[in-house]
């Protein structure tokens, strides 16, 4: 038998016509950080492994300092070093002239280092886009914009293709000479599409 | 915090497509980004046209371009974006990016285009543009089309809206 009852302490009530209940709608972004590596030890090679396969595109952003003069940057999807696995081309400038070049049927994909390469102790930066990395109906094509403020500077729009029917599940970024210095940063992003 | 949102992705099916079109572009963003992975069935020209609001006039650009053998720089009244032509290595598509700042604003629209093709050979075209559409209208549609021929199956283009963050101060 109920002998007493205390009234609710709710003093105000607002009715909503939407499940948002007055909150702003959330639009998930299309650009997500998968992984970042900041070097605590100088190294020539940085790897991204177990890359999720549900994005449409990938992007690598790099800013770093090389330890040696003259090195470039190579990209190896799936750490594939097979002969004839790649082609690459570039449009580059060194502060005095513009040049271009390219080659096919090679075992490496060079995206930077066509003129004088990077300079020891001088930062270099790059944005590298890999479109449709998980689409097995296409050879994967890479586009990169890279620059270095070296005493002999270099700026490049470079491209490369990976001739394989395998999806890209890992990426290796490697300098061809010396190491990337401590503090160099490599970030891998997934882009929805 | 600034955001990058996918508006739409178009993928070309069997039979190809004369163009990839984005229409009814939302006007509540700050910048537009289009990412294109495309190939077309014309062996002669790699050129790809970009138009806003179905307008064929008012375009100009300065560009650096090269085919890895010959190259140069020029000023032009058109856009010479490249997608991969049919005589390049099979199943190999171009990689192109179009960035339009302030697309919904009331000023002329400057934009950048950088794109590469790829080919398992010495030559492959690439170009980087600083471009201008001399039109103060907000961009509500965008079309990408090969100069000649059709986009091949599996060509794809994704349109993103980038919205500026709400932080920061205005500087006079």
């Amino acid at each position: 038998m109920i002998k007493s009852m205390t009234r609710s302490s709710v003093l105000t009530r607002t009715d909503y016509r939407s499940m948002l209940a007055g909150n702003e709608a959330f639009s998930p972004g299309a650009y997500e950080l998968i992984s970042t590596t900041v070097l605590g030890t100088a190294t020539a090679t940085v790897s991204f492994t177990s890359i999720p396969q549900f994005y449409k595109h990938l992007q690598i952003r790099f800013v770093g300092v090389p330890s040696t003069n003259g090195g470039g940057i190579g990209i190896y999807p799936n750490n594939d070093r097979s002969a004839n696995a790649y082609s690459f081309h570039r449009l580059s400038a060194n502060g005095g002239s513009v040049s271009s070049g390219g080659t096919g049927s090679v075992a490496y994909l060079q995206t930077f280092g066509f003129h004088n390469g990077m300079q020891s102790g001088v930062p270099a930066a790059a944005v590298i886009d890999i479109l449709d990395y998980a689409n097995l109906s296409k050879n994967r094509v890479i586009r990169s914009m890279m620059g270095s403020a070296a005493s002999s500077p270099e700026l490049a729009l470079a491209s490369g293709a990976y001739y394989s029917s395998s999806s890209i599940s890992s990426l290796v970024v490697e300098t061809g000479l010396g190491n990337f210095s401590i503090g160099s940063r490599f970030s891998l992003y997934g882009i929805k599409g | 915090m600034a955001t990058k949102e996918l508006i739409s992705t178009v993928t070309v099916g069997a039979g190809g497509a004369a163009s990839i079109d984005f229409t009814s572009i939302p006007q509540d963003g700050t910048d537009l980004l289009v990412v294109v992975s495309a190939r077309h069935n014309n062996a002669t020209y790699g050129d790809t046209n970009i138009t806003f609001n179905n307008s064929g006039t008012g375009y100009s650009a300065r560009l650096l371009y090269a085919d890895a053998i010959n190259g140069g720089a020029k000023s032009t009244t058109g856009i010479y974006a490249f997608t991969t032509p049919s005589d390049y290595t099979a199943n190999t598509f171009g990689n192109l990016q179009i960035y339009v700042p302030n697309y919904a604003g009331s000023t002329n629209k400057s934009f950048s285009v950088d794109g590469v093709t790829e080919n398992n050979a010495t030559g492959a075209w690439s170009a980087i543009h600083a471009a201008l559409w001399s039109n103060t209208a907000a961009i509500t549609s965008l079309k990408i089309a090969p100069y000649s021929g059709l986009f091949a199956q599996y060509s794809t283009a994704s349109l993103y809206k980038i919205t500026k963050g709400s932080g920061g101060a205005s500087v006079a």
Side-chain angles (χ1 to χ4, degrees):
Chain A
M1 183 169 86
I2 298 172
K3 294 192 175 178
S4 66
M5 182 182 278
T6 303
R7 293 188 65 177
S8 167
S9 60
V10 174
L11 301 179
T12 60
R13 188 184 83 179
T14 303
D15 293 326
Y16 296 98
R17 294 182 180 277
S18 163
M19 291 296 288
L20 290 173
N23 297 302
E24 290 185 7
F26 173 69
S27 296
Y31 190 72
E32 297 182 347
L33 175 66
I34 297 173
S35 174
T36 289
T37 296
V38 180
L39 296 183
T41 303
T43 183
T45 301
V46 173
S47 299
F48 296 101
T49 60
S50 301
I51 296 173
Q53 299 295 294
F54 51 76
Y55 295 106
K56 181 134 179 84
H57 310 305
L58 297 175
Q59 184 178 87
I60 298 171
R61 291 191 170 223
F62 156 74
V63 57
V65 179
S67 65
T68 305
N69 288 334
I73 295 178
I75 304 292
Y76 296 90
N78 301 333
N79 199 26
D80 191 340
R81 313 273 174 154
S82 306
N84 305 316
Y86 305 101
S87 60
F88 63 86
H89 301 82
R90 51 92 181 177
L91 168 60
S92 58
N94 64 356
S97 61
V98 178
S99 68
S100 66
T103 186
S105 299
V106 291
Y108 60 100
L109 199 167
Q110 182 179 358
T111 62
F112 194 53
F114 306 108
H115 286 285
N116 303 299
M118 297 184 286
Q119 180 178 339
S120 176
V122 177
V127 178
I128 303 166
D129 286 282
I130 307 168
L131 303 191
D132 277 331
Y133 72 103
N135 187 330
L136 304 187
S137 298
K138 299 177 166 181
N139 294 315
R140 262 46 57 73
V141 174
I142 293 170
R143 171 177 49 83
S144 62
M145 290 286 287
M146 320 190 94
S148 171
S151 56
S152 296
E154 182 166 341
L155 171 67
L157 170 64
S159 62
Y162 176 42
Y163 299 103
S164 170
S165 59
S166 301
S167 178
I168 296 175
S169 59
S170 67
L171 286 164
V172 171
V173 182
E174 185 171 288
T175 178
L177 201 61
N179 292 319
F180 298 112
S181 296
I182 294 171
S184 297
R185 172 185 289 265
F186 304 79
S187 296
L188 177 67
Y189 296 86
I191 301 169
K192 299 176 185 177
Chain B
M1 184 175 66
T3 59
K4 176 177 173 179
E5 300 173 43
L6 173 68
I7 297 174
S8 176
T9 290
V10 176
T11 300
V12 176
S19 65
I20 293 176
D21 296 75
F22 297 103
T23 59
S24 301
I25 295 174
Q27 297 295 293
D28 57 348
T30 308
D31 303 337
L32 288 180
L33 169 69
V34 186
V35 176
V36 183
S37 170
R39 180 184 179 93
H40 59 273
N41 65 359
N42 185 291
T44 304
Y45 299 102
D47 304 24
T48 300
N49 297 321
I50 300 166
T51 52
F52 304 119
N53 297 357
N54 285 318
S55 171
T57 61
Y59 301 93
S60 60
R62 295 182 184 274
L63 67 147
L64 297 175
Y65 66 98
D67 68 350
I69 302 171
N70 304 294
K74 64 177 175 181
S75 298
T76 176
T77 56
I79 306 298
Y80 288 81
F82 292 117
T83 54
T84 303
S86 61
D87 59 342
Y88 279 17
T89 304
N91 304 316
T92 305
F93 291 63
N95 185 326
L96 173 71
Q97 174 174 289
I98 306 163
Y99 196 94
V100 189
N102 198 30
Y103 72 98
S106 58
T107 58
N108 289 333
K109 306 300 181 292
S110 61
F111 60 104
S112 66
V113 182
D114 55 274
V116 302
T117 62
E118 258 302 324
N119 190 23
N120 199 6
T122 302
W125 282 101
S126 62
I128 181 166
H129 299 69
L132 177 68
W133 183 45
S134 296
N135 193 309
T136 58
I139 294 173
T140 58
S141 67
L142 187 154
K143 174 184 288 189
I144 308 162
Y147 176 80
S148 178
L150 305 175
F151 281 131
Q153 184 181 18
Y154 306 123
S155 295
T156 180
S158 296
L159 175 67
Y160 300 89
K161 175 182 70 174
I162 295 168
T163 305
K164 65 182 180 181
S166 58
S170 297
V171 179

